[in-house]
Amino acid sequence: MKLYASSVHQHCFIFSSNVFFQHPKVRNVFNMDFPDSHHLAKALTIVTGPDTVNLTYHNFFAAKEVAQVAYFINVILKMFPADKKRVEAALAAANLPKGKFDTIKPDVFTEAAFKTFILHLCPRPEINEIFTSFTKGKGFMTKEMLTKFLNEKQRDSRLNEELFPLVRPEQVKNLIEKYEPSSSNASRGQISPEGLMFYLMGSETSVVKLDKLAQSHDMTQPIPHYFIKSSHNTYLTAGQLTGVSSPEMYRQCLLAGCRCLELDCWKGKPPDEEPIITHGFTMTTEILFKDVIEAIAESAFKTSKYPVVLSFENHVDSVKQQEKMAHYCRTIFGDALLVDLLEKYPLKPGHPMPSPSELMGKILIKNKKSSTPASKPEQAKKASDDREEHDDHDEQDEEKMKNSDESALFVISSQGTAGQEVTAYEEMSALVNYVQPNKFISFENAAKKNKSFVISSFVETKGESLIAKNAVDWVEYNKRQMSRIYPKGTRVDSSNYSPQPFWTAGCQFVALNYQTMDFPMQLNMALFEFNGRTGYLLKHDVVRRSDKKFDPFTDRIDTIIASTLTIKIYSGQFLSDKHVKTGVEVELIGLPKDPKRKYRTKWSTTPNGINPEWNEEPFVFEKILLPEMAYLRLVVQEEGGKFLGHRIIPLDALQTGFQHICLRSESNMPLTLPSVFVHIEVKDYIPAAFAGTDLHTYRHMLSLNATSNNLSVITFKKELMQMTKNTKTKI
């Protein structure tokens, strides 16, 4: 028996089979391990909870095996409570019972019956209109018509026909046979409106290019050349002042593909003197350091085999307790802990970092390191001008927080040792190698020292200032060594900053509060879905290559063709179980000079959560400078602003043509039915001054970097025209 996961607002309901029954004691009670035991087929566990930590297990055990499960009409009616009559009519059209207490046996609820039910429950007049426009009133598409439709509407116009041939007759024939419900139509090489609709909902029209999703990045470059999925204050399940801490958060973040975790370490109290993890000088709960290390060891490489960085904020000024910490790391992590340097990568100026593939399966410690290991606590404490810039709030943040009674305790306490880490004693210092934190002084100083293994942390406000004033220098810095960004201290609700500006500057560790599924976190999760969810993404050439300088605030990039994105929103499917009006918001996230306009459809004309239509004029984002670092975001809302679903997709992963965009929940979980039907077109952007110029010629001129030779627009266009004339190329 298998059930599926769903989420309602912020309450998650996770249904899984036989989870609890893996427990040895329970298996023994029910004799599950006997060869002839059939008990496992009778067991079911339903796991519920408001988040991934506070879970309740509901365990069920049937008296006998359940071979088949009947579908209750009442369940189907409850899925669409606002339109009972429509559901009953759709059931009747599929020759299925429609009484509230009727049941449907699986052998009756066939795929054909389900399709008929869906067609009547959620009719698609907009697809019929598209179909009619290509058939000129005929009730079917011929193979020739469908071929034209595929080549004109479903194909990326930028593709070279020799490398990417037009669709072939054999391919069209196979599509008709696969999707046309009428066998007589299929035998004649014809496809009906229903067949076209099923094709448009099939795997061939995935809005994300499947080859892009399957693409594996080069993992042999130095670690600073990658974006790395990172978490801030990983132990917290909620707010920064009074939230609950839990080792489970480390498991969940690692299972989500996170590769950099934060551990705020503090001295444990007598008699055990066990080091603890908590948010210092707040009312957040405490957890044992040892429990966290065990949780990390258990889940570190379940999702991704590439290296994990543990970012220690170490306030443990006890030699004995730091020795305990080092002992736990060595014994619990075992061989996974990277202690010895790789022979090819000494810690010397000018030497690069190892690559993710060379550190596969390894855990790296980021902790203060002492050049002369201290033996006494007073030797290990550093003056404020020699500590890493790792405070959870800056001076401006403190001024704001002093005006809030809610955070008064935090401000007063933070004037003590919070944010002032101690330097590691000998045992902890010995564990630190390729990720050594140091206070940032200046880009000039960092370039002079030229140490790729040195990392500096920046509060988001400091980071924003550096982007505004020294963006080009920071990009250069991040080509050589690493930056870690973290939220400012006034985000006591665990909200997040936008990671996009820091990615455009090439920052590797953009750490977010994983306990909060806000827009920044959704963007972070969408980006790291790629490269096999490894938690490592190879940065674009412009923020890696040492022979080029990149300004995130530029309005043009030599040798890179900007893109124009056009998207038309047609309709929605199964957006809400309520009788409400709905609308779609569309925006582009990219470089600072990319189009910033946020488009919105009008609210649907009638309250209808099942198949609302908009069919408005297309939304156009004209000049997207660096398509590989831009993202399309759609958000569906009820009238009044209530969130229904969203999707964020990298622009270079978008499939051209008519697409159904399947929506995600706030926590980025795929929603089973909700989708938005759109038409997407991505073209090369050609400036108005070069309108009419052959695209191939324009691309060739850019590849020669002609404009970098200070050619005027007029001169450049004359050369383009001459080249066009000489090569006789046509648009």
Side-chain angles (χ1 to χ4, degrees):
M1 185 191 303
K2 290 187 179 179
L3 299 174
Y4 300 93
S6 65
S7 66
V8 180
H9 310 311
Q10 294 183 355
H11 299 277
C12 300
F13 299 87
I14 306 167
F15 302 83
S16 58
S17 60
N18 313 320
V19 176
F20 178 79
F21 294 95
Q22 301 304 317
H23 194 286
K25 289 184 179 179
V26 178
R27 296 182 66 85
N28 184 52
V29 168
F30 290 101
N31 298 320
M32 286 186 176
D33 295 316
F34 279 82
D36 59 346
S37 172
H38 298 286
H39 290 336
L40 200 60
K42 307 173 187 177
L44 175 71
T45 300
I46 298 179
V47 188
T48 66
D51 52 49
T52 55
V53 176
N54 300 297
L55 302 175
T56 301
Y57 292 80
H58 308 274
N59 305 298
F60 298 90
F61 196 83
K64 59 181 180 179
E65 289 184 44
V66 182
Q68 291 185 326
V69 181
Y71 299 92
F72 288 90
I73 299 299
N74 194 36
V75 173
I76 296 174
L77 290 170
K78 282 184 176 181
M79 290 177 67
F80 310 101
D83 217 330
K84 181 181 176 183
K85 289 184 178 179
R86 185 190 285 210
V87 176
E88 291 175 341
L91 288 167
N95 295 317
L96 298 171
K98 60 179 182 178
K100 184 177 181 181
F101 299 105
D102 288 343
T103 59
I104 311 174
K105 292 184 178 180
D107 57 348
V108 175
F109 202 15
T110 61
E111 182 180 351
F114 175 72
K115 285 183 175 179
T116 303
F117 170 69
I118 290 294
L119 279 172
H120 286 81
L121 181 62
C122 184
R124 304 296 301 278
E126 75 283 11
I127 291 183
N128 289 339
E129 288 179 20
I130 294 165
F131 184 91
T132 302
S133 70
F134 265 79
T135 60
K136 296 184 171 30
K138 290 185 178 180
F140 58 87
M141 267 189 187
T142 62
K143 280 191 290 188
E144 293 73 24
M145 290 175 180
L146 182 57
T147 300
K148 182 181 179 183
F149 173 81
L150 295 175
N151 286 329
E152 290 184 4
K153 293 295 183 180
Q154 297 298 101
R155 177 183 170 81
D156 191 327
S157 61
R158 300 169 297 176
L159 294 177
N160 180 292
E161 290 186 15
E162 292 185 6
L163 296 176
F164 302 93
L166 298 174
V167 65
R168 301 186 303 275
E170 185 64 26
Q171 292 173 293
V172 177
K173 179 177 179 290
N174 291 339
L175 288 176
I176 291 174
E177 291 175 351
K178 181 177 180 179
Y179 290 109
E180 173 53 43
S182 167
S183 56
S184 58
N185 279 348
S187 65
R188 292 192 295 268
Q190 299 171 351
I191 193 167
S192 64
E194 291 79 10
L196 181 67
M197 184 189 76
F198 293 139
Y199 158 72
L200 291 174
M201 294 192 297
S203 59
E204 292 84 357
T205 56
S206 166
V207 70
V208 176
K209 296 175 184 175
L210 298 183
D211 56 348
K212 179 70 177 179
L213 199 60
Q215 181 184 0
S216 295
H217 293 186
D218 174 11
M219 302 298 279
T220 64
Q221 301 201 30
I223 279 185
H225 288 185
Y226 297 83
F227 296 125
I228 302 167
K229 198 173 185 182
S230 305
S231 167
H232 170 255
N233 285 359
T234 311
Y235 48 90
L236 291 176
T237 63
Q240 305 284 315
L241 294 183
T242 59
V244 174
S245 304
S246 171
E248 184 64 27
M249 285 300 293
Y250 289 89
R251 292 190 184 92
Q252 294 300 327
C253 286
L254 288 165
L255 293 174
C258 197
R259 298 287 89 190
C260 179
L261 311 173
E262 186 175 26
L263 297 82
D264 287 0
C265 308
W266 294 83
K267 197 160 55 173
K269 300 179 181 67
D272 298 327
E273 294 191 356
E274 284 289 335
I276 60 170
I277 288 179
T278 188
H279 199 188
F281 299 102
T282 69
M283 292 181 284
T284 56
T285 60
E286 301 171 354
I287 52 178
L288 292 178
F289 175 86
K290 182 183 179 183
D291 291 347
V292 168
I293 298 303
E294 288 176 343
I296 293 170
E298 185 181 299
S299 305
F301 303 106
K302 297 285 187 183
T303 298
S304 171
K305 56 191 175 182
Y306 291 102
V308 173
V309 176
L310 302 185
S311 180
F312 280 49
E313 185 182 303
N314 196 343
H315 304 276
V316 179
D317 59 354
S318 159
V319 175
K320 179 182 176 182
Q321 291 196 31
Q322 278 206 21
E323 286 175 348
K324 272 190 177 182
M325 292 166 61
H327 174 73
Y328 291 145
C329 289
R330 286 180 181 273
T331 56
I332 295 172
F333 292 148
D335 292 339
L337 181 65
L338 185 71
V339 178
D340 299 322
L341 297 176
L342 304 186
E343 188 176 341
K344 287 169 36 180
Y345 300 98
L347 297 178
K348 295 180 180 179
H351 284 260
M353 286 270 286
S355 67
S357 61
E358 289 169 307
L359 294 174
M360 196 178 292
K362 292 297 182 181
I363 295 173
L364 284 72
I365 302 295
K366 169 185 171 287
N367 189 93
K368 281 288 190 179
K369 187 174 179 69
S370 175
S371 54
T372 54
S375 58
K376 297 180 181 178
E378 56 268 22
Q379 290 177 287
K381 291 183 179 179
K382 292 291 184 179
S384 60
D385 62 347
D386 190 37
R387 73 173 188 265
E388 179 188 0
E389 187 175 349
H390 196 87
D391 299 353
D392 270 358
H393 53 275
D394 56 22
E395 293 177 4
Q396 290 181 341
D397 292 334
E398 287 197 11
E399 285 302 315
K400 294 175 185 176
M401 295 177 73
K402 285 175 183 176
N403 296 323
S404 169
D405 293 337
E406 181 184 12
S407 56
L409 174 64
F410 181 81
V411 174
I412 294 170
S413 300
S414 69
Q415 294 171 353
T417 59
Q420 300 181 29
E421 300 173 70
V422 300
T423 299
Y425 302 130
E426 185 172 2
E427 291 298 319
M428 279 302 297
S429 187
L431 303 184
V432 182
N433 38 62
Y434 290 117
V435 192
Q436 296 187 20
N438 272 316
K439 177 180 172 64
F440 175 78
I441 298 173
S442 69
F443 292 118
E444 294 77 14
N445 179 270
K448 183 179 179 180
K449 290 187 175 180
N450 194 17
K451 295 180 178 179
S452 64
F453 54 88
V454 166
I455 180 173
S456 292
S457 292
F458 305 87
V459 67
E460 60 173 287
T461 48
K462 176 67 174 177
E464 289 165 355
S465 175
L466 287 175
I467 289 175
K469 298 174 183 177
N470 307 91
V472 176
D473 292 333
W474 205 1
V475 172
E476 291 300 301
Y477 171 98
N478 285 321
K479 292 176 183 178
R480 177 185 61 253
Q481 61 195 89
M482 296 174 291
S483 299
R484 180 177 181 270
I485 317 300
Y486 60 93
K488 60 185 178 182
T490 49
R491 294 186 182 275
V492 294
D493 59 349
S494 291
S495 61
N496 285 301
Y497 57 87
S498 175
Q500 178 66 6
F502 301 104
W503 288 333
T504 62
C507 299
Q508 298 84 359
F509 297 95
V510 182
L512 299 179
N513 290 310
Y514 267 59
Q515 62 271 42
T516 305
M517 292 297 164
D518 50 11
F519 159 63
M521 190 62 205
Q522 291 164 359
L523 178 59
N524 186 67
M525 295 180 77
L527 177 72
F528 283 100
E529 283 183 13
F530 294 86
N531 196 28
R533 302 192 180 193
T534 59
Y536 282 81
L537 296 175
L538 186 64
K539 297 192 289 188
H540 192 278
D541 279 357
V542 296
V543 288
R544 280 193 293 114
R545 287 177 52 175
S546 58
D547 60 335
K548 295 283 185 181
K549 288 198 173 184
F550 172 65
D551 180 0
F553 292 93
T554 187
D555 59 2
R556 65 175 297 276
I557 305 171
D558 290 345
T559 74
I560 292 179
I561 301 285
S563 291
T564 295
L565 168 66
T566 302
I567 178 167
K568 182 178 174 70
I569 311 293
Y570 278 91
S571 62
Q573 295 76 47
F574 302 106
L575 300 181
S576 174
D577 58 2
K578 298 177 182 176
H579 209 53
V580 292
K581 293 183 178 181
T582 55
V584 183
E585 183 177 279
V586 183
E587 69 176 313
L588 184 90
I589 303 143
L591 297 183
K593 293 295 178 69
D594 280 342
K596 283 293 178 288
R597 183 171 178 183
K598 186 182 289 187
Y599 293 101
R600 290 183 177 86
T601 66
K602 296 176 182 177
W603 298 114
S604 51
T605 53
T606 58
N608 172 11
I610 293 181
N611 63 334
E613 285 190 73
W614 297 284
N615 204 0
E616 299 177 4
E617 288 298 310
F619 301 143
V620 180
F621 300 94
E622 188 178 35
K623 185 183 179 183
I624 305 167
L625 294 162
L626 190 54
E628 292 86 350
M629 290 183 69
Y631 314 90
L632 175 69
R633 181 182 187 233
L634 283 84
V635 181
V636 181
Q637 299 171 326
E638 285 184 12
E639 187 176 22
K642 182 182 176 183
F643 176 93
L644 292 176
H646 81 109
R647 191 69 184 274
I648 301 172
I649 306 172
L651 196 67
D652 65 334
L654 278 176
Q655 190 96 279
T656 292
F658 290 102
Q659 310 289 347
H660 286 87
I661 299 181
C662 297
L663 301 178
R664 303 281 177 90
S665 69
E666 286 174 301
S667 57
N668 213 48
M669 293 293 292
L671 298 171
T672 306
L673 292 175
S675 64
V676 176
F677 182 56
V678 304
H679 186 268
I680 293 170
E681 188 173 26
V682 184
K683 290 186 174 181
D684 288 330
Y685 167 80
I686 297 181
F690 308 121
T693 301
D694 175 75
L695 181 58
H696 172 75
T697 305
Y698 180 70
R699 280 182 166 180
H700 183 61
M701 290 292 285
L702 278 182
S703 70
L704 296 175
N705 208 9
T707 52
S708 66
N709 297 323
N710 297 318
L711 295 178
S712 68
V713 171
I714 295 174
T715 306
F716 185 32
K717 182 151 189 183
K718 283 181 180 178
E719 293 203 11
L720 279 173
M721 291 175 68
Q722 186 61 41
M723 179 175 282
T724 303
K725 183 178 179 181
N726 292 341
T727 58
K728 296 182 180 180
T729 52
K730 296 181 180 180
I731 297 177

